[in-house]
Amino acid sequence: MTAFDEMGVLPEIAKAVDEMEWTLPTDVQAEAIPLILGGGDVLMAAETGSGKTGAFCLPVLQIVWETLQDIGAGKTSSSAVQHQHPTQWLLSLFDRGSALAVTPDGLRCQSREPKEWHGCRANKGVQGNEKFFFEAIVTDEGLCRVGWSTNQASLDLGTDKFGFGFGGTGKKSNDKQFDSYGESFGMHDVIGCYLNLSKGEISFSKNGANLGVAFTLNAQQKSQTYYPAVVLKNAEMSFNFGPQPFKHPPSNDYIAVASASKECTKENPINSSQSQSKEDSKPKSNAPQAIIIEPSRELAEQTYNQIQKFKKHLKDPVIKELLVIGGVSVKDQISTLNSGVDIVVGTPGRLEDLIQGGYLLLTHCRFFILDEADGLLKQGYTELIDRLHRQIPKITSDGKRLQMIVCSATLHAFEVKKMAERLMHFPTWVDLKGEDAVPETVHHVVVMVDPQKDKSWHNLRRHIETDAVHSRDNVRPGSNSPETLSEAVKILKGEYCIQALKEHNMDRALIFCRTKLDCDNLERYLKQAGNQFSCVCLHGDRKPAERKANLEKFKRQEVKYLICTDVAARGLDITGLPFMINITLPDEKSNYVHRIGRVGRAERMGLAISLVSKVPEKVWYHGEWCPSRGKKCQNTNLTDQAGCCVWYNEPNYLAEIEDHLNVTIQQVDASMKVPLNDFDGKVTYGQKRSNMGSNYQNHVQQMAPYVKQLSSLESKTQLLYLKRHMTTAAN
């Protein structure tokens, strides 16, 4: 039995993992896999390279496969949860709004939609001439109305003549008539809901205090069947229909709805019709059970490839997965969807196109997974995520609750926290990272580029082509104008990059540039410098096929260097990558950690070198105001002059990064020589440390003087204590 078997992972999946030489689960896998298998929502953050893709893919694969197996065996029923206890009173899984979630026990509901009301009715109703009662408790702040309605009423309780509600603002409502009643209520308040069908009266209580008659029913209304009902806006309530003791029992002549006689009880027709439709539990061919959203094509491809490896031994049924990204024939993707898909991995744009076109259905989605969620939110996909979440039923047709899994570089980002509060259902945090930190296996250093001290750029016959932001400026050697020094920095950084590659014999390295233009310029410069600097580019302007081919060339070590923008900073999984160079520091401090996280993975040592200009550098900054969004733009004015350039102050960004990480990053000179700590032992970048710490003999020699000093201090302390003790005794 493997360690993965012991966590409850299927033997077939554990076997595939074992063949990938994953002997033990990583920390994040050990924490997250049991939580996901247990049915909970999970928020996870861990170091880059920690195995978080496996942490969500393994349990998702298992649950999808088990569900398919149950469907094939005819074990599932669209009313699985409620038909386990057909006599119980529960909130209906079917007679409810699209954005209202009901817990599996059927006694608590929640809506995280901040702008819309979503309602629900119970799975049973009461009729006759008796007096009935149930309790509702506000379990989270928000707007809510609770009361009674017939099955003709809308789910927005109190907005038509068939529904009678009492709201948290202290208003009673029927047929859109909102009148003051009783008093307002909120968090932890217990609302009693009374229905007197003999007199035709509906009333409410708050924490046991009766608020008086709210509504009077006419003869026709008294003859109707009434269902406990609720409507919420970004709120949560729990219900007691009678099996448990009430917090504030009603007067003796009122009975709990759960105690109503069989003659007075009627099944909710919507609930009944749904429960009879066994075919509803069978997913349509284009209705996958899991949607995994990635911020980039490369990440989507990596996750897709991992799923294919993990499912290798899962047979009868076979899980079908689909990669949905741009740059690939949409017709082929639609054809695959129509032939049957269980798991979809994709990027937001193409996913949205297929969903809006009706080619991909969300009706049977069991898992909604956001990988690198902070990246998705920063790219502006908040509204899309919210919209997709609203469209996914919160309880699947077989009675299982939607599970949402969110992976993020940090759970402390404001946007991620807000999204979790808005969309997730009591998520468990798996935060094995805390605030951003650089892995211990990475040496990261800074090289200051100072054109006022290093004037070698004056005499360079061949140098890197710059980004042309100074094409209209009077730039000339010997001048100390800001424009001249800025151009000098761009030239020197090309030279410093080559110096770093040579000094450390970098046979494999990621090189990060700020813009796509900078990437293109550096690629040309390195190729001109000789065959020893073979390289390829990876950025958004390269066609998908070229991007994929370039990444494969780098992975197969057909070229030495991959030059990229931050599109590649998240999720690139390249084993044993030893080196990384920042041509320019990122303006987002968290991206510094993402970039550096590409090296030093799987306990292997890595070196990251950042080239930091000591003077301000003028750079391109194209925004929404730029007609071409940067393509062949020649407007070199600053943004405050309606242009597309800004002054980039790297020392400020360096200070923010150091403050963020709570470290001082070591600085080295232009020779790029990186001194090693005495206790690091011998380090070969790209490999595990050959000697974890110094050997025992050297350790003893280094510590001997300190041990001797401690021994002397201990002796002096003892003598001083005895001296004082004897003086005190003599007195």
Side-chain angles (χ1 to χ4, degrees), residues 437-476:
V438 174
E440 292 181 359
T441 50
V442 176
H443 291 157
H444 58 128
V445 298
V446 162
V447 179
M448 301 305 295
V449 181
D450 187 351
Q452 292 176 305
K453 286 186 178 179
D454 184 352
K455 301 183 183 296
S456 61
W457 62 277
H458 286 186
N459 306 314
L460 289 174
R461 292 183 179 178
R462 178 186 294 173
H463 59 72
I464 190 170
E465 182 181 351
T466 63
D467 54 12
V469 296
H470 297 298
S471 58
R472 300 175 186 175
D473 298 326
N474 184 17
V475 172
R476 63 188 187 283

Side-chain angles (χ1 to χ4, degrees), residues 348-500:
R350 180 57 63 86
L351 269 173
E352 184 177 28
D353 291 343
L354 291 173
I355 291 168
Q356 286 186 343
Y359 302 110
L360 194 163
L361 303 181
L362 301 176
T363 52
H364 287 72
C365 183
R366 171 75 188 276
F367 291 98
F368 187 45
I369 302 165
L370 306 178
D371 194 13
E372 301 288 359
D374 51 334
L376 287 166
L377 298 179
K378 284 177 182 175
Q379 290 176 25
Y381 291 117
T382 303
E383 186 182 336
L384 171 63
I385 291 168
D386 287 353
R387 189 162 63 249
L388 295 185
H389 186 266
R390 283 197 298 271
Q391 293 177 43
I392 299 173
K394 303 307 172 286
I395 300 292
T396 60
S397 58
D398 62 350
K400 303 293 177 58
R401 190 184 59 76
L402 171 72
Q403 280 182 259
M404 190 168 176
I405 302 164
V406 172
C407 305
S408 174
T410 172
L411 303 183
H412 302 275
F414 175 77
E415 296 86 355
V416 175
K417 283 183 177 179
K418 293 302 291 181
M419 182 191 68
E421 291 173 3
R422 192 170 64 250
L423 304 182
M424 300 185 77
H425 183 89
F426 310 112
T428 300
W429 287 42
V430 177
D431 192 354
L432 301 180
K433 184 177 180 184
E435 298 295 346
D436 278 334
V438 174
E440 292 181 359
T441 50
V442 176
H443 291 157
H444 58 128
V445 298
V446 162
V447 179
M448 301 305 295
V449 181
D450 187 351
Q452 292 176 305
K453 286 186 178 179
D454 184 352
K455 301 183 183 296
S456 61
W457 62 277
H458 286 186
N459 306 314
L460 289 174
R461 292 183 179 178
R462 178 186 294 173
H463 59 72
I464 190 170
E465 182 181 351
T466 63
D467 54 12
V469 296
H470 297 298
S471 58
R472 300 175 186 175
D473 298 326
N474 184 17
V475 172
R476 63 188 187 283
S479 168
N480 278 331
S481 69
E483 291 77 13
T484 298
L485 295 177
S486 171
E487 180 75 0
V489 163
K490 299 174 191 292
I491 294 170
L492 283 175
K493 282 189 174 182
E495 300 306 306
Y496 281 34
C497 177
I498 286 183
Q499 175 60 28

Side-chain angles (χ1 to χ4, degrees), residues 529-572:
N531 293 331
Q532 71 269 35
F533 299 113
S534 60
C535 59
V536 289
C537 254
L538 185 69
H539 62 65
D541 279 355
R542 300 292 175 102
K543 292 181 179 179
E546 182 186 0
R547 288 170 63 178
K548 185 174 182 179
N550 286 349
L551 185 56
E552 287 303 313
K553 283 181 184 177
F554 182 65
K555 283 186 174 182
R556 292 195 299 265
Q557 300 186 42
E558 294 174 11
V559 295
K560 292 182 177 181
Y561 311 124
L562 180 65
I563 304 168
C564 51
T565 58
D566 277 316
V567 71
R570 295 174 177 270
L572 276 184

Side-chain angles (χ1 to χ4, degrees), residues 478-635:
S479 168
N480 278 331
S481 69
E483 291 77 13
T484 298
L485 295 177
S486 171
E487 180 75 0
V489 163
K490 299 174 191 292
I491 294 170
L492 283 175
K493 282 189 174 182
E495 300 306 306
Y496 281 34
C497 177
I498 286 183
Q499 175 60 28
L501 299 176
K502 289 180 176 178
E503 172 61 30
H504 295 281
N505 297 314
M506 295 186 185
D507 56 350
R508 295 186 80 209
L510 268 179
I511 305 175
F512 281 97
C513 295
R514 184 179 164 276
T515 68
K516 294 174 278 191
L517 177 59
D518 292 334
C519 288
D520 294 336
N521 289 340
L522 183 60
E523 180 189 33
R524 279 194 297 272
Y525 183 57
L526 291 182
K527 286 181 176 179
Q528 290 169 3
N531 293 331
Q532 71 269 35
F533 299 113
S534 60
C535 59
V536 289
C537 254
L538 185 69
H539 62 65
D541 279 355
R542 300 292 175 102
K543 292 181 179 179
E546 182 186 0
R547 288 170 63 178
K548 185 174 182 179
N550 286 349
L551 185 56
E552 287 303 313
K553 283 181 184 177
F554 182 65
K555 283 186 174 182
R556 292 195 299 265
Q557 300 186 42
E558 294 174 11
V559 295
K560 292 182 177 181
Y561 311 124
L562 180 65
I563 304 168
C564 51
T565 58
D566 277 316
V567 71
R570 295 174 177 270
L572 276 184
D573 189 11
I574 303 166
T575 306
L577 189 62
F579 300 104
M580 192 278 291
I581 298 175
N582 279 323
I583 299 297
T584 304
L585 283 178
D587 54 2
E588 283 281 345
K589 47 187 178 287
S590 60
N591 277 346
Y592 179 81
V593 181
H594 288 310
R595 292 182 181 185
I596 284 183
R598 301 311 104 206
V599 298
R601 303 181 79 159
E603 299 179 1
R604 297 176 185 274
M605 296 302 297
L607 173 64
I609 297 175
S610 297
L611 309 181
V612 177
S613 171
K614 204 159 187 177
V615 300
E617 181 184 353
K618 189 178 179 183
V619 297
W620 289 110
Y621 186 77
H622 305 285
E624 294 179 358
W625 58 86
C626 179
S628 65
R629 294 305 294 266
K631 290 192 175 182
K632 298 183 180 179
C633 177
Q634 298 179 351
N635 188 347

